[in-house]
Amino acid sequence: MGAAPYSFSLEDSVHEKEGSVKLEEGQSPPSSDSDIADESTPTEQPNAHRYVTGWRLFCLLFGVSLAIFLANLEVTIVSTSLISITNDLNGFSRTGWVVVAYLITYTGFIIVWAKLSDILGRKVSINAALLIFVVTSALCGSAQSMTALIVFRSLQGIGAAGCFSVSMVIFFEMIPKEKYAKYGSILSADVALATALGPIFGGLIVDGTTWRWVFLLNVPGGLLATAILVFLIPSGFPHHWKPKSEQSKARIFSMECVERVDFLGSLLLIGANLLLVTALLEASTTYSWSSGVTIALIVLSAVLWVLFAGWEWFATKDTVKQEPVFPFRFFFNRAWMGMLINSVLLGVPFTVIVVDLPQRFQAINGVSALNAGVRLLPYALFAPLGSLLSNIIFAKKRLPLTLLLAGATFQFLGLILLATLPEKPDLPNSLYGFLVIAGLGVGLTFGTLVVITPESVEPRDLATATGAMIQSRQMGSAIGMTIGSSILNSYLKSNLRHVLSASQLEALLQTTAVVKTFPAELQLPVKQTFAEGYSLQMKVVAGIAAAEFLAVAMMVKLKHRK
């Protein structure tokens, strides 16, 4: 299996990795871990220019941060514009698909892009991803139906996955290891800020112009990021510091490259995700939970998950040409698996808060899209602050378990408190305190997971592990959004069928604007039912956040009995 993975003790100390480091061709073995991270040591002089420095470093940091920001902004910027989008395109019951279609392909292709960047090179991969993202964003902005928008959103997610995962890999390769904590705070804050500011940007756009600019703004932003990365990423990166004769030159689109990509594993992963979320979403609208279609989708999803695990076991063998999207050795790294599960669970509140709460504010409290986003400002500020705080603490004290436990605690408390919001039109000032607590918890957890990822796997798995960490959080986001939409749709249908006529209920599931056309005596119970549905969402999400404590427990190093 190679080098032993990191594990975390009860004292929260991060142990040095044991075993050998996989060497590049022609590279002498380092005498210690510091030999491959410290540019200033005499033994490192031949490789002194392997890292990017000076103005070029700061420009590249801006470029990759912009690519990451845009990809993550698209997850939540639609939150405050969903009401306008679905009312315009007549499809409120399909609201979840606008978010989930993006997240499914985003999730499925994150590791694929990371692996492709190993084969084709970082520079080619990141710019190809940005090109796909820009073109599909323009298509989303021109969509004329809900079906077209959902299809374009799924294609947009493919490009976004590359923007995120390849940028993360580039980030870890352009700076020395001892600076991960310092610059990692920028990266984790960038992700948290993009996710949290999405609703505000969406509200500004919807109140000031058409919702289509929610997608079209990615065109100039994506082109700027492309220009920076095309001109400033060194040729041959990350092996640009070697003589050209020693640089690995993979032939783009050659059969050798194609054979190394784990297409089957990627398709199995995407199929398993797609069938699962389709079953959860459609069971609350088109079909019932006991219908044959719903049961068949869930069973097929389970089969694909089993096949995915089996194929990855086979693809991890040295005799197989494919490079697995999820090496089977990951399953034997208990601390790493605990981190991945923690990331999946984190994705649920991370996204549900910024997507469902603005809808609640608009549907129940009657606020504008912009005001709904502004009410999330405490969350928007304290999520990145929590990420920054976790990196500062980790750099000085290296207490990963303590930070993760603190993050889970704050998330749970914040979500439970958000579930107690009253069903009245006026929102209490305590809402902002609840959002501060929840945002701080999400930020602490996410920032800690990002900074300890490189220390938790073998060097050869850094690109794949980085993609897996991102992928697991987005998978949690997709599942969380699916569960949230399913809970709300099911609650509305079961509790309003005796209050509204069949035609009124059907109209409500298409557009919330129809509530204003109901008689006054119906509007109050409809809004109350909406409030109860959203509160139920938060309670379920709080339960999911509580499961993070079990995931953290997996990272504790067990003591062997003598």
Side-chain angles (χ1 to χ4, degrees):
M1 288 292 178
Y6 267 76
S7 57
F8 301 97
S9 71
L10 287 167
E11 292 77 19
D12 287 358
S13 61
V14 182
H15 300 281
E16 293 299 322
K17 193 173 297 187
E18 301 174 354
S20 60
V21 176
K22 187 177 181 181
L23 303 176
E24 301 290 347
E25 185 179 353
Q27 182 181 350
S28 300
S31 59
S32 67
D33 198 41
S34 61
D35 289 339
I36 64 172
D38 189 353
E39 299 175 78
S40 62
T41 59
T43 58
E44 191 61 17
Q45 287 305 313
N47 303 338
H49 301 292
R50 67 162 55 182
Y51 303 115
V52 182
T53 58
W55 66 269
R56 194 172 200 169
L57 170 62
F58 292 108
C59 289
L60 279 178
L61 275 174
F62 176 75
V64 297
S65 296
L66 180 58
I68 290 172
F69 184 86
L70 292 174
N72 282 277
L73 188 70
E74 277 302 297
V75 178
T76 58
I77 195 173
V78 298
S79 63
T80 45
S81 55
L82 278 175
I83 297 294
S84 296
I85 293 173
T86 54
N87 287 348
D88 186 24
L89 301 180
N90 295 319
F92 178 74
S93 63
R94 303 173 72 189
T95 296
W97 275 113
V98 179
V99 179
V100 172
Y102 180 83
L103 289 174
I104 288 175
T105 49
Y106 195 171
T107 300
F109 280 88
I110 280 178
I111 293 183
V112 175
W113 276 108
K115 186 57 66 178
L116 280 174
S117 74
D118 282 343
I119 299 170
L120 306 180
R122 312 295 189 227
K123 191 169 185 176
V124 170
S125 298
I126 184 60
N127 287 298
L130 278 165
L131 178 61
I132 295 172
F133 183 67
V134 167
V135 171
T136 52
S137 292
L139 291 174
C140 288
S142 63
Q144 299 299 313
S145 68
M146 281 292 287
T147 299
L149 177 60
I150 291 169
V151 171
F152 294 148
R153 281 281 283 174
S154 65
L155 296 175
Q156 187 190 31
I158 296 175
C163 292
F164 195 0
S165 66
V166 182
S167 292
M168 290 282 283
V169 175
I170 291 172
F171 170 85
F172 283 124
E173 290 176 334
M174 68 183 180
I175 58 174
K177 183 178 178 181
E178 66 269 17
K179 294 183 179 180
Y180 283 171
K182 176 182 176 181
Y183 290 103
S185 60
I186 298 174
L187 202 63
S188 54
D190 182 34
V191 175
L193 196 63
T195 306
L197 287 181
I200 298 175
F201 285 3
L204 279 169
I205 292 170
V206 169
D207 284 358
T209 181
T210 171
W211 58 264
R212 297 184 184 279
W213 276 103
V214 164
F215 308 108
L216 294 176
L217 67 80
N218 293 314
V219 176
L223 291 176
L224 174 60
T226 301
I228 293 172
L229 299 177
V230 163
F231 290 107
L232 293 183
I233 294 180
S235 295
F237 182 86
H239 304 299
H240 57 285
W241 54 276
K242 293 182 177 182
K244 287 189 177 181
S245 58
E246 295 182 19
Q247 290 181 11
S248 174
K249 297 181 179 180
R251 292 175 295 166
I252 299 177
F253 301 124
S254 68
M255 184 57 65
E256 179 185 359
C257 286
V258 173
E259 289 177 346
R260 291 170 60 191
V261 180
D262 186 10
F263 289 111
L264 179 57
S266 302
L267 289 175
L268 289 171
L269 180 61
I270 294 170
N273 273 325
L274 178 60
L275 290 174
L276 177 61
V277 299
T278 300
L280 295 175
L281 280 174
E282 296 302 317
S284 62
T285 53
T286 308
Y287 307 103
S288 66
W289 287 101
S290 59
S291 72
V293 174
T294 302
I295 294 173
L297 288 172
I298 293 175
V299 170
L300 286 174
S301 175
V303 170
L304 288 183
W305 279 115
V306 172
L307 290 175
F308 172 74
W311 169 252
E312 294 306 295
W313 168 79
F314 177 76
T316 305
K317 293 182 177 181
D318 294 335
T319 56
V320 179
K321 291 183 179 180
Q322 283 88 355
E323 298 182 3
V325 296
F326 194 87
F328 202 73
R329 55 183 167 271
F330 280 2
F331 288 105
F332 299 97
N333 185 338
R334 184 165 53 82
W336 173 241
M337 290 303 297
M339 289 172 60
L340 289 181
I341 294 173
N342 204 323
S343 186
V344 170
L345 298 172
L346 169 69
V348 179
F350 197 92
T351 304
V352 169
I353 288 176
V354 292
V355 172
D356 284 334
L357 276 183
Q359 291 185 61
R360 182 193 197 280
F361 299 153
Q362 293 176 77
I364 300 171
N365 306 105
V367 302
S368 67
L370 175 58
N371 285 333
V374 168
R375 279 169 169 75
L376 284 180
L377 267 177
Y379 183 86
L381 294 174
F382 277 82
L385 180 61
S387 294
L388 177 61
L389 185 62
S390 70
N391 281 263
I392 293 174
I393 295 174
F394 184 80
K396 295 188 176 198
K397 298 293 184 180
R398 301 181 75 80
L399 303 172
L401 294 186
T402 300
L403 289 169
L404 291 175
L405 288 172
T409 301
F410 281 120
Q411 286 177 64
F412 178 74
L413 289 176
L415 289 162
I416 285 293
L417 292 171
L418 286 171
T420 66
L421 289 177
E423 299 156 6
K424 301 176 182 178
D426 295 330
L427 289 168
N429 291 331
S430 58
L431 163 69
Y432 305 111
F434 302 162
L435 289 171
V436 166
I437 295 172
L440 186 61
V442 165
L444 283 171
T445 301
F446 179 68
T448 304
L449 291 175
V450 168
V451 77
I452 64 177
T453 291
E455 301 183 337
S456 306
V457 297
E458 301 174 31
R460 60 174 169 165
D461 290 327
L462 177 58
T464 304
T466 302
M469 180 56 64
I470 303 165
Q471 182 185 51
S472 60
R473 183 173 65 83
Q474 298 300 351
M475 185 184 302
S477 295
I479 293 173
M481 281 305 307
T482 302
I483 293 173
S485 295
S486 179
I487 289 172
L488 182 61
N489 286 330
S490 297
Y491 196 85
L492 291 177
K493 288 174 67 176
S494 62
N495 288 275
L496 290 178
R497 63 179 54 182
H498 302 301
V499 177
L500 303 176
S501 65
S503 60
Q504 287 175 323
L505 181 57
E506 179 63 27
L508 178 64
L509 293 176
Q510 294 301 315
T511 170
T512 58
V514 75
V515 175
K516 297 178 180 178
T517 67
F518 292 165
E521 63 272 14
L522 289 181
Q523 291 187 26
L524 182 59
V526 168
K527 290 184 177 181
Q528 183 175 353
T529 303
F530 263 101
E532 293 169 354
Y534 283 118
S535 294
L536 180 59
Q537 279 182 336
M538 289 300 159
K539 291 176 183 176
V540 172
V541 173
I544 294 173
E548 290 182 30
F549 293 108
L550 299 177
V552 174
M554 291 180 62
M555 300 168 61
V556 177
K557 183 179 180 181
L558 298 177
K559 304 292 185 180
H560 294 287
R561 293 183 179 180
K562 294 182 180 181

